[in-house]
Amino acid sequence: MPFVVINRVFVNPGYEAEFERRFQRRASQVDRQPGFRAMRVLRPQGNQAPYLVETEWDSQEAFRAWVGSDDFKQAHADPMPSEAFGEGGGLEQFEVVEGTQA
């Protein structure tokens, strides 16, 4: 079963479009990583809710290799200003126990 990582990101008002644009224009570094399966950026639909950035991997080891890679460093080399983000959020890691797809 796959390994899923979810990053909860509280984006302050006025920075949402730039946050989304950065993922849409990303250099695709993660797409070519061994063990990478999928990525989804989920826009919140309620007040106070964070964006969710979900990545799916073959294994936890594949995810850790990505985090330690030069491509990861390049993908995160030009961060948004700290005032773009609210308090809270963070990285969560899951091993899939059961799942279905249409």
Side-chain angles (χ1 to χ4, degrees), residues 32-102:
R32 58 179 177 249
Q33 296 305 305
F36 173 78
R37 291 184 176 197
M39 182 176 85
R40 293 170 208 66
V41 178
L42 307 176
R43 180 186 298 134
Q45 295 298 296
N47 291 340
Q48 311 286 326
Y51 276 83
L52 299 181
V53 180
E54 175 187 325
T55 55
E56 185 175 316
W57 302 86
D58 287 342
S59 65
Q60 185 177 33
E61 293 75 24
F63 169 70
R64 288 183 177 167
W66 153 245
V67 171
S69 73
D70 288 339
D71 283 338
F72 178 88
K73 291 175 190 141
Q74 183 181 358
H76 295 85
D78 183 25
M80 290 178 64
S82 59
E83 60 268 15
F85 303 104
E87 296 287 323
L91 212 60
E92 300 172 354
Q93 300 179 33
F94 301 89
E95 184 176 297
V96 176
V97 175
E98 179 63 34
T100 60
Q101 282 187 296

Side-chain angles (χ1 to χ4, degrees), residues 16-32:
E16 301 94 343
E18 178 61 20
F19 180 78
E20 293 179 19
R21 225 179 346 265
R22 285 174 176 252
F23 280 98
Q24 292 163 349
R25 292 187 317 214
R26 67 190 166 84
S28 302
Q29 287 95 343
V30 71
D31 294 4
R32 58 179 177 249

